[in-house]
Amino acid sequence: MHSSIPSLGRVMVFLAAALASASFAIPEDWGEEGVQYGQLGTDVTLSCPGARASSAVRWRRAGAAALPEGSVIQQGSLVLPSASPALGGTYSCHGEDGSLLHSVSLRLGHLPGVPFVSCRASDYENFSCSWTSSVETFLPTRYITTYRKKSLTGEEKRRNKNGHVGLCVQDPSRPGTCTVHRSEFWSSYRLNITEVNPLGFSYRLLDVTMQAIIKPDPPEGLVVEPIPLAPRRLHVSWKYPSSWPKEPHFQLRFRLQYRPVIHRSWSVVETVNLSEVITDAFAGLEHVVQVSAKDFLDAGNWSEWSAEARATPVRDLASTAREETTTYARLESLAEEPSQAPNPEPINGSDPLEKMAVLVSLGIFAFFILAAVLVITILIWLRVRKHSKDKTKPSFLVAATHLKALPKAQIL
């Protein structure tokens, strides 16, 4: 993660790195006395400190009968044009009488390149950075690792008028890494990783924030166990990584992946707990399980997967018995000689209880149908009977009723 910085700030950083590298550029500081360093592809000049200006000087190369082709002696110094790796070695200058005046070992290499740098925080209290060289220099190399907090409070600005610059501490047991201790979660930092060798220096500036680089270490203590009487279940448990701070407001969430050993595809489950029950395992098959962690608020990246843990779910006893019975029946059927004549009887593998249930259902259905037909028939018969009575009423009853209604005079 890079960002542009003001030109004045860039110049100040450059000057600071130059001053720091100047102290390392002296050959004695590299612990190799009598060694001169030269840049490949350029003209390299070897001086003879013990020579007099008026006296002749002769140069020799250890292990060679003559000096390299194209070399020139100028005012007592040996000039090697366009130095190649083959020109490295020990050279000596001698007086006219053959006495040794000076001896020097020439080591050739390249200027440092801009290093590749990446940073990671395994917790919210510290972060570490690692780097690799972008150029193989063939020369001894040192690194200057510093950081500066980008956002300062008013009090911090008063205490550090030039900005707080701290040391990213290098660990000799882990070459190519440094650690910033007691970092602040909401702060941004600018890292300066400067690569220095006897020929010069080069540096990389990297801006980091804790939220972006947080990446926990893998969870620890992963245990997978079968659950008794549960042929498709496995109980999985684990612990927080020991490097994670033991504080309630810094929580992790977890991702669990599992599969049968004979399969290639993984099943993945996420949880915030420290245990989980796998409910879709394959009975009798060995399973491999791993777990990783990430910040609860989804900051940063997932950790690497933990070491594998394996377990096999218990086998279902009923299923095992059925399998054994089926296998035994198949062996018996294979032992019998098959009949050559076709069986005239139809194949009927129905269950007697199933037949009885079907017959009972049909009987009940038929009973309800007959009852409904009987009721409908009775209703129709009653209606027809009532209608026929009304039509067959006697006519003399009608006449008598009429006469009863007339006056007596009319009747006489």
Side-chain angles (χ1 to χ4, degrees):
M1 178 169 31
H2 303 279
S3 65
S4 60
I5 60 176
S7 58
L8 179 59
R10 185 180 294 274
V11 171
M12 292 180 65
V13 170
F14 181 83
L15 291 176
L19 291 174
S21 63
S23 61
F24 292 103
I26 302 174
E28 286 76 12
D29 286 344
W30 293 94
E32 296 179 285
E33 187 176 357
V35 177
Q36 181 174 337
Y37 300 95
Q39 184 177 353
L40 288 167
T42 64
D43 295 346
V44 177
T45 301
L46 303 178
S47 60
C48 185
R52 297 179 181 178
S54 59
S55 61
V57 175
R58 296 181 181 179
W59 281 88
R60 297 175 185 173
R61 183 184 183 189
L67 294 174
E69 184 179 357
S71 59
V72 179
I73 300 177
Q74 297 178 351
Q75 299 178 355
S77 298
L78 177 64
V79 179
L80 303 174
S82 302
S84 64
L87 298 185
T90 302
Y91 294 82
S92 59
C93 61
H94 302 263
E96 293 180 341
D97 58 355
S99 60
L100 177 64
L101 300 177
H102 180 65
S103 178
V104 62
S105 178
L106 177 63
R107 293 189 61 180
L108 298 170
H110 296 286
L111 285 166
V114 178
F116 299 110
V117 183
S118 62
C119 295
R120 169 181 173 257
S122 59
D123 56 64
Y124 280 118
E125 299 175 347
N126 314 279
F127 70 89
S128 59
C129 296
S130 60
W131 60 85
T132 56
S133 178
S134 61
V135 176
E136 180 64 39
T137 63
F138 307 105
L139 298 177
T141 303
R142 294 174 181 172
Y143 292 90
I144 304 171
T145 54
T146 59
Y147 72 92
R148 179 173 62 85
K149 187 177 177 182
K150 294 184 65 178
S151 302
L152 298 177
T153 63
E155 184 177 353
E156 289 174 333
K157 289 179 180 178
R158 286 191 297 271
R159 291 199 312 262
N160 305 282
K161 295 182 179 180
N162 296 326
H164 174 67
V165 177
L167 184 65
C168 186
V169 181
Q170 300 183 42
D171 184 356
S173 64
R174 299 172 57 199
T177 62
C178 70
T179 303
V180 175
H181 297 285
R182 297 182 180 178
S183 56
E184 298 176 359
F185 174 56
W186 299 109
S187 298
S188 298
Y189 297 87
R190 173 163 292 157
L191 271 294
N192 182 353
I193 309 297
T194 302
E195 181 178 339
V196 183
N197 73 12
L199 300 180
F201 70 93
S202 184
Y203 65 92
R204 168 85 68 182
L205 298 178
L206 183 68
D207 291 343
V208 299
T209 57
M210 294 293 290
Q211 301 97 317
I213 64 173
I214 190 74
K215 182 179 180 180
D217 289 329
E220 302 172 358
L222 178 63
V223 177
V224 185
E225 298 174 316
I227 300 178
L229 304 178
R232 299 207 63 189
R233 294 175 180 252
L234 289 172
H235 182 265
V236 187
S237 61
W238 58 89
K239 299 177 182 178
Y240 266 60
S242 56
S243 59
W244 193 258
K246 306 299 187 295
E247 297 184 21
H249 50 279
F250 288 145
Q251 299 292 320
L252 292 175
R253 60 192 181 98
F254 303 95
R255 181 174 58 176
L256 187 73
Q257 70 172 11
Y258 58 94
R259 63 177 175 84
V261 173
I262 61 175
H263 293 177
R264 293 184 178 180
S265 59
W266 295 89
S267 298
V268 180
V269 176
E270 291 192 15
T271 180
V272 296
N273 302 317
L274 289 174
S275 64
E276 187 70 22
V277 175
I278 298 174
T279 60
D280 57 350
F282 291 88
L285 294 182
E286 185 181 30
H287 286 64
V288 57
V289 181
Q290 290 179 296
V291 64
S292 65
K294 190 178 183 180
D295 174 71
F296 182 79
L297 299 178
D298 205 33
N301 302 288
W302 284 99
S303 73
E304 301 296 332
W305 290 105
S306 68
E308 292 183 354
R310 300 190 177 195
T312 303
V314 296
R315 292 182 65 84
D316 186 1
L317 297 179
S319 299
T320 303
R322 286 196 299 270
E323 291 177 2
E324 292 178 353
T325 303
T326 304
T327 303
Y328 182 74
R330 288 180 179 177
L331 291 176
E332 285 187 343
S333 63
L334 290 175
E336 297 178 358
E337 183 178 357
S339 175
Q340 300 296 329
N343 187 2
E345 297 182 1
I347 298 176
N348 188 0
S350 302
D351 191 355
L353 293 178
E354 184 179 353
K355 288 183 177 181
M356 182 64 68
V358 172
L359 291 176
V360 171
S361 300
L362 291 176
I364 294 173
F365 179 75
F367 171 76
F368 280 107
I369 294 296
L370 291 175
V373 171
L374 180 61
V375 170
I376 293 173
T377 304
I378 293 173
L379 292 175
I380 294 174
W381 178 76
L382 291 175
R383 185 179 181 86
V384 171
R385 182 180 177 183
K386 182 178 179 181
H387 184 68
S388 60
K389 283 183 178 181
D390 292 339
K391 286 186 176 182
T392 57
K393 192 173 183 180
S395 58
F396 69 90
L397 292 177
V398 176
T401 303
H402 180 69
L403 290 175
K404 188 177 182 180
L406 292 176
K408 292 183 179 181
Q410 292 182 1
I411 296 175
L412 296 175

